[in-house]
């Protein structure tokens, strides 16, 4: 059977997720539930219909086509208890107030979409970056897509949180041209407090990639008070040293993800943090650089 | 080329001072030419055997009487008008119509022009009355038709005939002129005169040509005398040779080119007189100079910078109503860099790079800089071009040889010669040295055809909901396209009649014997360029609104033919009512994927619309024996036309602008620049013989670093590799644009690229300014 995966966005002409001009494929589903998650709508694996209240003109065309009786005229528009996620209402809505997040793709359908920008990948030395969610939750699908990319000589990059067993995915991981591995909170206690489980496997996977000479680069999202504390940065520097790495990507926090919590009636509490400032970023960057760690690029 | 350690080149203090003085003078209406022409015509109109002779002597009269001025520090001399920056009123052509602003030139909000009060009254009392019945449109049409024609031309919904101002738009053979000087032209004329098969008309033409040569020489002598009077030995040395002798160095060459450029733009309308492949035809002189002791590359850059200042002294005369269609004072003196040679190899050279330094370090309104790129282009050149673009100002615009050369061959240009094309005016490719393509003959509103079709042959604005039985016959897209083609053909037929009348009147009454000296074929055939003397002739007709039509057809396909949610009549009535009370239909229409999203359905509709226009246009030939060719650029006619139109099925509301050139409708290409350019490149660009404009905007932040510039370069080359013909990139900072709207005086020199030409942002109409800001913001988000 052809493996499929739910993809909630393909962002073209992406310039900051690997070399050159890239298409960024966001796969749905994630094991972690980081409180600062910038794509909260990506966490659940199943497709979900999102509701954008500010666009709704209350024409209730959705109600006419809904076969699940899941449209509610008051409060949040969709009753997720009843909604089967079929998407009929999305097609019926003229105002783009409803959107299905997580369209199921076969590898071939995804490939067809990605090939549209092949000329630009070639000219720029770019390619495709798989992000999420956690892409490795869809190994069979990825494996097939990577083979198709290899056939077309398209550069591939994985962005991973490192929460699944990498040994098990060895063959798959060998197929990527580049792996971005996200470090977060490197104090086991604090990790458990904010992110739940997964600390041990993340640390293990990081070491396993480095030892296995995979083309890996590490990244650190800068979340004020969570990952950018003096102590955590020291942890990260120490960890990089142990892994024999001397460079890192820093990702500045922006709070745009919080507005997306409401569209799926998410339960994730809002941190209310401001966007990461230039000054803070530079301070953190200096911290790394003073300790001999190169900051690879700014996002 | 030392790409790595480059520091931004700046002109010498002398040239910077020159530019400062230039920028301080405010543009004015130059009335001298109109007054001289009127005086001469009043006294002499009956005294010459042919229109060519009359016009040659009239030009000579003007040149020997016009004010001459040499400004302190100038390296190249000769002024477009009696003012430092001025607009000529070509009163015998469209000048009278443009003088509808005569009482408001100084006070008008956009592009105010000074005018001396004595000039104003002379124009009102003696010039305008004389030409009212004798100007080009009066000669072309009987009185009753003329009124309707003028009304349509000044506030046009269907088409604008640019030839109403004269033909212009060609590439003088500057390579040859620099090599032979006027003495060489005289030899050519004499040789032709001695030829056996010359009839009376041809002899008169050659005589007129001869009068023009003498007039230019005399005019230049007056400048030499003035330089002597001022003790300007450097200029005297140059003017001792120029224009008679072959140019001995680059300074002489630029002075010679400017004299010709100047007089050509005095003789006929100052539109699209283009400089061609200047890095090619001046390369030999450059190399010769380089071998000499004391060669200073910065001095060469200075010379070109001073030359650019002269080009920027030319301001076109537009009335306020015309400005809606041609905002930003375009006059299209295009200059082409790069490209290939006769063997298909890369032709970029040291001079190409040096000229890019000038453009990068010294941004002026003119010339209109263009760079030719092909698969064989030196990557360093493409790289440098993108670097210059990233610095802002929108220049140079980019042209794809690999598409343009076959496109020209398809239109009957000798395939062995297409390598030597250059751009004319805004975006139009033409064969160097020997073609007269009237590439900007007319701009045609293609989109309004759908409004007329839905309206049963009537415009829809203000009409209330009604029965529209004529729509019953349309059951599928093929029916609709068929009717649209008939509609388009019918309106082009009207354009053809008007254009022929204008061309004939122009050739009969206002031939251009001076310009004809510079176009291959005119001396050889002893025939004026306006009468088909050039070796290659054509007319370029531009379509506006391809994307609007494609989007509208996609809406009709989906809502009427596929889902049958609406009838075509309901859609038409909603358009007539500007979607008033039809919010749901309007939202549904806007939701349907538009051109610019890599969507096969709507991209194919755009292709169908573009080829429909091609078929209709290509049926015609002009009065000079050249074929009509389709182009797809809009100047700012997308705003001018849009203002006159009712809503379209795409959801575009009444009065809103149409899409700019061949680009997607603003705000409807939702998947970023690669998808947008893929849609554009999905069309068959080799069919677009007269050129296109595709304008994309980047926020300055995106291309600030090396990686950003590399991505921009890859985007351009990726688009070209898929068959894109042309691209121009504006690198803008929306915050700066907004500040320029509020404080225009602090941003006098902020250049932006409009449809195929550069303009100072502050010279644009407010609506055009807003359009630019909105588009840049949209790209940023």
């Amino acid at each position: 059977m052809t493996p499929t995966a739910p993809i909630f966005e393909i962002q073209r002409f992406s310039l900051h997720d690997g070399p050159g001009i890239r298409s960024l494929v966001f796969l749905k589903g994630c094991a972690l539930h980081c409180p600062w998650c910038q794509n909260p709508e990506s966490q659940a694996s199943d497709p979900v219909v999102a509701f954008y209240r500010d666009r709704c003109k209350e024409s209730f065309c959705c109600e006419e086509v809904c076969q699940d009786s899941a449209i509610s005229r008051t409060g949040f528009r969709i009753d997720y208890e009843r909604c089967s996620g079929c998407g009929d209402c999305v097609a019926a809505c003229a105002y783009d107030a409803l959107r299905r997040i997580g369209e199921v793709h076969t590898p071939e359908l995804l490939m067809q979409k990605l090939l549209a920008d092949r000329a630009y990948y070639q000219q720029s030395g770019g390619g495709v970056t798989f992000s999420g969610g956690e892409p490795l939750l869809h190994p069979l699908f990825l494996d097939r897509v990577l083979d198709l990319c290899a056939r077309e000589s398209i550069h591939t990059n994985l962005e991973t949180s490192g929460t699944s067993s990498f040994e098990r995915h060895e063959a798959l991981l060998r197929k990527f041209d580049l792996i971005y591995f996200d470090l977060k909170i490197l104090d086991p206690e604090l990790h458990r407090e904010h992110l739940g489980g997964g600390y041990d496997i993340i640390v293990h996977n990081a070491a396993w990639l480095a030892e296995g000479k995979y083309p890996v680069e590490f990244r650190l999202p800068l979340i004020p008070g969570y990952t950018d504390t003096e102590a955590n940065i020291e942890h990260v520097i120490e960890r990089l040293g142990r892994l024999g790495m001397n460079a890192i990507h820093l990702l500045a926090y922006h709070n745009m993800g919080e507005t997306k919590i409401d569209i799926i009636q998410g339960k994730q509490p809002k941190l209310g943090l401001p966007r990461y400032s230039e000054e803070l970023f530079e301070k953190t960057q200096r911290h790394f650089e003073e300790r001999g760690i190169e900051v690879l690029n700014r996002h | 080329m030392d790409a790595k350690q480059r520091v931004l080149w700046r002109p010498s203090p002398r040239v910077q001072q020159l530019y400062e003085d230039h920028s301080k003078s405010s543009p004015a209406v130059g009335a001298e030419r109109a007054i001289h022409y009127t005086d001469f015509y009043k006294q002499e109109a009956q005294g010459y055997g042919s229109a060519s002779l009359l016009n040659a002597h009239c030009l000579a009269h003007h040149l020997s009487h016009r004010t001459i001025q040499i400004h302190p520090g100038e390296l190249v001399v000769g002024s477009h008008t009696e003012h430092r920056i001025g607009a000529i009123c070509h009163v015998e052509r469209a000048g009278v119509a443009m003088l509808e602003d005569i009482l408001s030139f100084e006070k008008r909000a956009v592009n105010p022009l000074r005018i001396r009060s004595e000039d104003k009254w002379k124009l009102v009392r003696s010039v305008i009355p004389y030409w009212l019945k004798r100007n080009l449109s009066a000669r072309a049409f009987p009185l009753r038709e003329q009124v309707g024609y003028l009304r349509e031309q000044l506030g046009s919904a269907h088409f604008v005939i640019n030839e109403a101002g004269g033909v212009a738009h060609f590439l003088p053979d500057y390579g040859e002129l620099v090599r032979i000087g006027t003495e060489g032209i005289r030899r050519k004329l004499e040789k032709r005169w001695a030829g056996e098969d010359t009839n009376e008309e041809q002899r008169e033409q050659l005589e007129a040509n001869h009068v023009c040569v003498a007039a230019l020489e005399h005019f230049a002598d007056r400048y030499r005398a003035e330089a002597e009077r001022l003790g300007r030995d450097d200029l005297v040395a140059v003017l001792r040779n120029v224009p008679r002798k072959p140019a001995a160095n680059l300074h002489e060459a630029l002075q010679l080119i400017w004299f010709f450029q100047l007089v050509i733009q005095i003789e006929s309308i100052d539109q699209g007189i283009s400089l061609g492949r200047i890095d090619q035809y001046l390369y030999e002189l450059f190399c010769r100079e380089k071998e000499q002791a004391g060669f200073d590359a910065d001095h060469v850059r200075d010379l070109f910078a001073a030359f650019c200042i002269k080009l920027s002294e030319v301001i076109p005369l537009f009335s306020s109503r015309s400005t809606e269609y041609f905002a930003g004072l375009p006059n299209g003196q295009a200059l082409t860099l790069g490209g290939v040679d006769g063997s298909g190899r890369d032709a970029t050279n040291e001079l190409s790079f040096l000229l890019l330094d000038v453009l990068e370090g010294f941004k002026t309104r003119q010339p209109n800089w263009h760079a030719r790129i092909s698969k064989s282009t030196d990557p360093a050149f493409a790289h440098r071009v993108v670097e210059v673009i990233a610095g802002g100002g929108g220049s140079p615009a980019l042209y794809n040889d690999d598409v343009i050369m076959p496109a020209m061959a398809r239109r009957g240009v000798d395939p062995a010669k297409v390598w030597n094309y250059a751009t004319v005016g805004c975006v139009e490719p033409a064969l160097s040295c020997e073609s007269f393509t009237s590439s900007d003959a007319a701009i045609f509103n293609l989109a309004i055809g759908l409004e007329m079709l839905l309206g049963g042959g009537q415009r829809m604005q203000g009409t209330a909901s009604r029965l529209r039985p004529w729509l019953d016959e349309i059951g599928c897209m093929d029916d609709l396209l068929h009717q649209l083609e008939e509609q388009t053909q019918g309106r082009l037929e009207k354009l053809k009649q008007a254009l022929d009348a204008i061309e004939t009147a122009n050739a009969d009454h206002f031939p251009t014997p001076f310009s004809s000296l510079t176009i291959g074929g005119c001396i050889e055939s002893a025939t004026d360029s306006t009468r088909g003397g050039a070796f290659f002739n054509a007319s370029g007709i531009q379509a506006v609104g391809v994307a609007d039509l494609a989007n509208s057809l996609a809406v009709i396909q989906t809502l009427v033919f596929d889902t049958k949610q609406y009838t075509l009549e309901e859609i038409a009535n909603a358009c007539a009512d500007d979607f008033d009370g039809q919010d749901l239909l309007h939202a549904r229409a806007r939701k349907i994927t538009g051109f610019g999203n890599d969507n096969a359905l709507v991209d194919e509709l755009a292709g169908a619309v573009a080829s429909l226009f091609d078929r209709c246009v290509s049926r015609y030939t002009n009065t000079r024996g050249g074929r009509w060719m389709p182009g797809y650029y809009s100047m700012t006619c997308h705003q001018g036309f849009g203002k006159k139109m009712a809503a379209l099925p795409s959801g575009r509301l009444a009065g809103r602008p149409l899409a700019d050139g061949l680009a997607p409708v603003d705000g409807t290409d939702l998947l970023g620049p690669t998808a947008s350019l893929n849609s554009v490149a999905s069309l068959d660009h080799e069919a677009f013989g007269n050129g296109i404009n595709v304008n994309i905007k980047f926020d300055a932040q995106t291309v600030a670093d090396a990686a950003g510039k590399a991505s921009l370069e890859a985007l351009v080359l990726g688009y070209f590799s898929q068959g894109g013909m042309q691209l121009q990139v504006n690198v803008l900072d929306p915050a700066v644009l907004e500040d320029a709207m509020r404080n225009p005086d602090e941003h006098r020199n902020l250049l932006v690229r409009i449809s195929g030409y550069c303009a100072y942002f502050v010279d644009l109409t407010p609506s055009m300014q807003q359009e630019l800001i909105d588009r840049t913001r949209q790209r940023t988000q």
Side-chain angles (χ1 to χ4, degrees):
Chain A
M1 207 180 93
T2 310
T4 60
I7 289 167
F8 71 96
E9 180 89 55
I10 300 172
Q11 189 190 321
R12 297 166 67 171
F13 196 65
S14 166
L15 304 181
H16 297 293
D17 292 85
I21 296 174
R22 309 192 71 82
S23 291
L24 209 49
V25 179
F26 291 92
L27 290 119
K28 205 162 163 4
C30 188
L32 288 176
H33 289 84
C34 307
W36 57 77
C37 182
Q38 314 235 324
N39 296 319
E41 76 279 26
S42 75
Q43 292 172 358
S45 291
D46 298 326
V48 59
V49 175
F51 173 55
Y52 298 79
R53 183 181 297 278
D54 55 327
R55 297 181 198 161
C56 179
K57 297 278 189 289
E58 304 193 344
S59 68
F60 296 110
C61 296
C62 49
E63 198 174 44
E64 287 168 29
V65 297
C66 180
Q67 294 175 19
D68 304 329
S69 306
I71 299 294
S72 109
R73 284 200 170 224
T74 54
F76 197 75
R77 190 67 69 238
I78 302 151
D79 180 352
Y80 287 128
E81 297 291 316
R82 292 163 175 265
C83 177
S84 65
C86 69
D88 287 353
C89 58
V90 175
C93 178
Y95 301 96
D96 272 336
L98 297 168
R99 201 181 131 221
R100 211 160 91 117
I101 294 177
E103 292 297 337
V104 173
H105 283 63
T106 61
E108 287 71 22
L109 175 63
L110 175 61
M111 222 30 223
Q112 192 192 329
K113 294 182 180 180
L114 295 176
L115 282 174
D117 281 355
R118 177 163 51 179
Y120 307 102
Y121 309 148
Q122 278 172 353
Q123 290 291 343
S124 67
V128 177
T129 297
F130 298 91
S131 185
E134 171 53 59
L136 291 177
L137 290 182
H138 310 279
L140 295 177
F141 175 83
L142 269 186
D143 194 68
R144 174 82 186 128
V145 174
L146 286 174
D147 287 347
L148 293 173
C149 284
R151 197 187 294 169
E152 303 287 347
S153 304
I154 293 174
H155 181 278
T156 52
N157 183 8
L158 169 71
E159 293 182 351
T160 179
S161 58
T163 47
S164 52
S165 164
F166 276 17
E167 276 99 335
R168 205 152 49 87
H169 296 318
E170 184 173 2
L172 174 63
L173 287 165
R174 283 287 175 206
K175 291 182 181 178
F176 287 100
D177 296 304
L178 184 60
I179 297 171
Y180 280 174
F181 189 106
D182 284 1
L183 299 174
K184 295 188 174 89
I185 300 175
L186 288 185
D187 177 294
E189 288 308 311
L190 288 174
H191 176 101
R192 200 154 300 131
E193 183 186 335
H194 296 301
L195 308 176
Y199 175 84
D200 293 333
I201 187 145
I202 289 172
V203 170
H204 173 78
N205 282 337
W208 185 82
L209 280 180
E211 277 161 26
K213 307 275 182 240
Y214 285 81
V216 61
E217 293 175 8
F218 290 91
R219 309 198 303 176
L220 176 69
L222 297 177
I223 317 297
Y226 291 89
T227 64
D228 76 334
T229 61
E230 200 99 335
N232 195 50
I233 288 173
E234 283 304 318
H235 278 301
V236 171
I237 291 169
E238 185 228 14
R239 178 68 54 183
L240 287 173
R242 258 198 267 170
L243 297 171
M245 308 293 291
N246 56 8
I248 193 155
H249 296 263
L250 299 179
L251 309 172
Y253 175 74
H254 65 74
N255 48 17
M256 288 185 283
E258 295 203 337
T259 58
K260 296 196 281 186
I261 296 172
D262 295 335
I263 61 172
I264 49 160
Q265 232 183 358
K267 301 288 182 285
Q268 180 180 326
K270 293 178 183 169
L271 300 178
L273 294 171
R275 191 189 166 90
Y276 213 75
S277 72
E278 288 275 312
E279 296 75 38
L280 264 180
F281 189 97
E282 275 162 25
K283 182 170 158 261
T284 311
Q285 181 176 1
R286 266 198 309 277
H287 191 156
F288 277 100
E289 285 169 351
E290 278 161 13
R291 302 291 306 279
I293 304 286
E294 186 192 352
V295 174
L296 287 170
N297 56 346
R298 305 181 52 166
H299 302 301
Chain B
M1 315 299 142
D2 50 344
K4 289 201 178 82
Q5 293 89 30
R6 183 174 294 103
V7 279
L8 191 68
W9 173 79
R10 285 286 183 208
S12 66
R14 172 184 179 169
V15 171
Q16 288 190 34
Q17 182 63 47
L18 191 61
Y19 187 57
E20 209 170 291
D21 295 346
H22 161 92
S23 305
K24 268 188 218 144
S25 50
S26 50
V29 177
E32 238 180 25
R33 182 192 180 280
I35 293 165
H36 290 162
Y37 267 59
T38 309
D39 291 347
F40 190 86
Y41 258 82
K42 277 182 180 173
Q43 287 163 24
E44 308 275 346
Q46 308 306 322
Y48 294 94
S50 76
S52 276
L53 273 170
L54 171 61
N55 280 281
H57 282 282
C58 189
L59 177 68
H61 167 79
H62 172 56
L63 290 180
S64 63
H65 289 86
R66 79 191 323 254
T67 304
I68 57 171
Q69 42 184 339
I70 296 178
H71 302 290
E74 278 196 312
L75 293 165
V76 180
V77 298
S79 290
H80 186 60
T81 63
E82 65 271 30
H83 305 284
R84 185 155 193 171
I85 302 178
I88 284 184
C89 174
H90 294 89
V91 70
E92 75 284 7
R93 293 180 164 85
V96 168
M98 295 308 145
L99 288 176
E100 65 168 342
D101 279 15
I102 185 94
L103 299 175
S104 61
F105 274 126
E106 289 142 307
K107 281 170 276 175
R108 64 187 189 180
V110 179
N111 308 144
L113 290 170
R114 282 185 297 125
I115 181 165
R116 288 191 205 135
S117 67
E118 71 259 35
D119 286 346
K120 192 188 298 180
W121 296 116
K122 255 186 217 164
L123 290 173
V124 169
R125 288 207 191 104
S126 70
V127 173
I128 297 175
Y130 178 80
W131 290 106
L132 269 180
K133 289 185 187 163
R134 296 179 177 88
N135 70 44
L136 183 54
S137 65
R139 307 272 193 188
F141 304 106
L143 185 61
R144 197 173 340 131
E145 275 179 43
Q146 205 194 128
V147 174
Y149 164 80
L150 277 179
R151 199 174 42 224
E152 171 64 14
Q153 284 303 292
L154 287 168
S156 183
H158 291 284
F159 49 77
V160 181
I161 296 183
N162 295 326
E163 274 195 19
V167 182
H169 290 93
F170 66 96
L171 295 154
D173 190 356
Y174 284 135
E176 181 178 71
L177 294 173
V178 163
R179 276 195 307 276
I180 66 172
T182 52
E183 286 180 355
I185 299 179
R186 282 173 182 278
R187 283 195 297 276
K188 282 176 74 177
L189 288 171
E190 279 152 22
K191 190 177 160 208
R192 184 63 187 85
W193 183 267
E196 286 165 13
D197 52 343
T198 313
N199 62 30
E200 181 64 20
E201 197 184 332
Q202 288 172 312
R203 282 178 175 270
E204 279 170 347
Q205 174 69 18
L206 292 169
E207 196 186 329
N209 289 149
H210 199 270
V211 169
C212 291
V213 174
L216 173 68
E217 289 169 348
H218 177 60
F219 180 60
D221 288 344
R222 294 178 62 213
Y223 266 96
R224 191 181 60 194
E226 176 68 0
E228 280 165 356
R229 191 182 71 79
L230 294 168
R232 292 288 309 275
D233 295 344
D234 55 335
L235 294 176
V236 174
V238 167
L239 294 168
R240 201 168 284 139
N241 282 341
V242 176
R244 289 183 177 80
K245 307 283 183 199
N249 54 45
L250 287 172
H251 195 168
E252 289 188 12
L254 290 177
Q255 180 62 61
L256 183 138
I257 293 169
W258 176 241
F259 271 146
F260 273 93
Q261 187 77 5
L262 186 64
V263 178
I264 290 169
Q265 297 188 93
I266 291 169
E267 183 184 45
S268 177
I269 193 173
D270 36 17
Q271 286 292 329
I273 305 304
S274 297
L275 298 155
R277 307 183 72 190
I278 199 165
D279 61 341
Q280 305 301 309
Y281 62 73
L282 291 186
Y283 186 56
E284 204 183 309
L285 276 179
F286 174 78
C287 290
R288 229 191 289 162
E289 216 156 297
K290 211 181 151 198
E291 282 164 16
Q292 286 163 10
F295 170 79
D296 177 6
D298 277 345
H299 177 65
V300 176
R301 292 185 182 96
D302 255 7
L303 280 174
F304 278 101
F307 180 67
C308 292
I309 295 177
K310 297 310 288 185
L311 297 171
S312 303
E313 288 179 2
V314 183
I315 295 278
L317 186 69
F318 288 125
S319 70
S320 297
R321 283 198 278 177
S322 300
T323 298
E324 297 284 345
Y325 298 81
F326 307 101
L329 302 170
N331 95 306
Q333 301 172 83
L335 179 156
T336 308
L337 299 178
V340 295
D341 64 16
S343 62
R345 278 192 290 268
D346 180 38
T348 52
N349 56 44
E350 206 180 336
L351 188 55
S352 325
F353 283 87
L354 183 142
L355 284 164
L356 286 176
D357 296 342
V358 175
L359 166 59
E360 184 183 43
F362 190 66
K363 295 189 168 71
T364 48
R365 189 173 53 80
Q366 288 284 311
N368 198 6
W369 294 83
H370 295 166
R372 283 176 50 175
I373 304 284
S374 74
K375 288 202 177 78
S376 52
T377 296
D378 176 2
F381 181 71
H383 191 69
R384 179 78 181 115
V385 162
V386 169
E387 197 171 59
V388 173
I389 291 171
S395 290
L398 303 161
Y399 292 80
N400 187 359
D401 286 359
D402 301 318
V403 171
I404 291 175
M405 296 192 299
M408 291 179 72
R410 252 203 230 184
R411 297 285 161 180
V413 177
D414 181 353
K417 290 180 174 174
V418 291
W419 63 274
N420 200 23
Y421 84 89
T423 49
V424 168
C426 291
V427 300
E428 310 95 274
L431 185 56
S432 299
C433 316
E434 55 184 85
S435 64
F436 193 60
T437 52
S438 186
S439 59
D440 198 31
I443 301 188
F444 183 82
N445 186 350
L446 189 59
I448 205 172
L450 183 58
E451 179 184 330
M452 301 285 289
L453 195 159
L454 297 176
Q458 304 290 317
R459 299 284 308 284
M460 292 217 299
Q461 228 154 353
T463 33
S465 292
R466 51 176 292 186
L467 294 175
R468 300 174 187 273
W470 56 87
L471 296 178
D472 296 346
E473 300 163 26
I474 301 174
C476 64
M477 188 51 67
D478 283 346
D479 294 345
L480 185 57
L481 283 169
H482 180 72
Q483 289 211 10
L484 189 62
E485 185 156 349
E486 279 183 358
Q487 173 65 237
T488 302
Q489 195 73 62
R491 290 187 308 120
L492 277 171
E493 191 62 41
K494 284 189 186 141
L495 169 63
K496 167 74 177 154
Q497 284 165 15
L499 198 49
D500 278 1
I502 289 278
E503 282 180 0
T504 306
N506 198 33
D508 287 350
H509 299 281
F510 307 111
T512 52
F514 183 87
S515 302
S516 299
L517 290 169
T518 68
I519 305 170
C522 292
I523 294 180
E524 291 81 348
S525 62
T527 303
D528 199 83
S529 59
T530 57
R531 295 174 188 173
F535 284 128
F536 185 86
N537 284 284
S539 286
I541 314 292
Q542 297 21 283
V544 178
V546 170
D548 300 276
L549 275 179
N551 293 357
S552 294
L553 296 181
V555 167
I556 293 170
Q557 176 70 50
T558 310
L559 297 183
V560 179
F561 302 142
D562 290 351
T563 66
K564 301 188 170 31
Q565 277 174 286
Y566 295 88
T567 64
L568 197 50
E569 189 175 78
E570 285 169 324
I571 302 254
N573 283 333
C575 290
D577 294 340
D578 202 18
F579 290 98
D580 192 27
Q582 292 281 356
D583 288 351
L584 189 59
L585 170 56
H586 189 242
R588 283 185 173 140
R590 303 281 291 181
K591 191 185 175 187
I592 288 162
T593 305
F595 179 66
N597 294 291
D598 237 340
N599 176 286
L601 169 81
V602 62
D603 290 357
E604 277 163 23
L605 287 170
V609 168
S611 20
L612 172 161
F613 180 68
D614 182 4
R615 276 195 301 279
C616 292
V617 160
S618 302
R619 290 198 176 104
Y620 298 109
T621 50
N622 64 21
T623 59
R624 296 178 292 274
R627 289 156 65 177
W628 279 25
M629 300 196 294
Y632 301 82
Y633 65 85
S634 57
M635 310 283 285
T636 57
C637 290
H638 60 285
Q639 287 217 346
F641 287 149
K643 262 193 186 171
K644 307 279 175 190
M645 286 174 62
L648 283 172
S650 63
R652 173 202 149 279
L653 295 175
R656 299 293 302 155
L658 297 169
D660 173 10
L662 206 53
V665 175
D666 283 344
T668 62
D669 50 334
L670 306 172
L671 301 178
T674 56
S676 185
L677 290 178
N678 280 355
S679 284
V680 174
S682 76
L683 310 176
D684 178 14
H685 290 210
E686 286 187 17
F688 304 157
N690 200 51
I692 64 170
N693 91 270
V694 180
N695 206 335
I696 61 168
K697 310 224 165 11
F698 270 89
D699 184 31
Q701 281 297 317
T702 314
V703 295
D705 59 0
K709 289 185 186 77
S711 302
L712 177 56
E713 187 177 335
L715 185 70
V716 171
L717 298 178
Y719 161 69
F720 276 6
S721 74
Q722 297 181 90
M725 177 185 250
Q726 189 266 7
L727 189 67
Q728 51 201 45
V729 185
N730 260 314
V731 174
L732 302 166
D733 180 343
V736 173
L737 296 183
E738 276 168 359
D739 192 52
M741 248 182 128
R742 283 191 301 269
N743 307 303
D745 284 340
E746 288 161 35
H747 298 274
R748 287 249 150 257
N749 294 336
L750 176 63
L751 273 174
V752 293
R753 191 169 271 273
I754 314 301
S755 168
Y757 56 93
C758 277
Y760 288 122
F761 183 75
V762 296
D763 282 341
L764 296 172
T765 54
S767 62
M768 199 61 217
Q769 290 178 331
Q770 196 58 51
E771 181 181 316
L772 273 171
I773 292 173
D774 292 348
R775 268 192 264 168
T776 312
R777 282 235 178 275
Q778 177 202 329
R779 291 273 179 231
T780 313
Q781 280 158 5

